Amino acid sequence: MEDRTFQMSPPDSKTLTEYDENHLTDYLRLLDADKENADWKEIVSIIFGIDPDEDESKAKAMHESHFERAKWISQSGYAQLLKKG
């Protein structure tokens, strides 16, 4: 079962983690939103379900850290998924 809770930032690991696997769909949504030039505040509200106006710096940090992890997975981390079959 997929865990829909979010940490402030994803694990800093050179390997895919259970957290990553639970949030693969969210990572894809972050990449898609970036491609569409969506506003980060809208992204945070929709994907993470938080109000970015309540704590803008926290929301921005959460967005940036997860977006960076999404890019890592799309560039190299995906190979680990392929190996798992």
Side-chain angles (χ1 to χ4, degrees):
M1 183 158 152
E2 195 172 288
D3 182 357
R4 303 298 304 146
T5 58
F6 292 95
Q7 298 173 2
M8 263 304 297
S9 60
D12 184 20
S13 173
K14 293 185 190 266
T15 60
L16 285 175
T17 66
E18 183 178 350
Y19 182 88
D20 294 323
E21 291 182 20
N22 287 336
H23 292 285
L24 287 173
T25 302
D26 302 307
Y27 292 143
L28 291 173
R29 292 174 70 198
L30 284 165
L31 294 169
D32 286 344
D34 179 67
K35 185 176 178 181
E36 294 174 10
N37 296 314
D39 180 69
W40 74 268
K41 287 185 176 184
E42 182 180 1
I43 295 167
V44 166
S45 177
I46 293 169
I47 296 176
F48 300 114
I50 61 173
D51 181 356
D53 295 325
E54 284 184 19
D55 188 343
E56 188 171 322
S57 62
K58 178 181 172 181
K60 182 118 177 109
M62 189 172 186
H63 171 266
E64 289 176 358
S65 65
H66 283 81
F67 181 60
E68 287 303 312
R69 189 66 174 175
K71 289 192 297 186
W72 174 80
I73 289 171
S74 73
Q75 294 166 358
S76 60
Y78 72 91
Q80 295 173 35
L81 286 172
L82 296 176
K83 288 179 184 177
K84 287 179 97 173

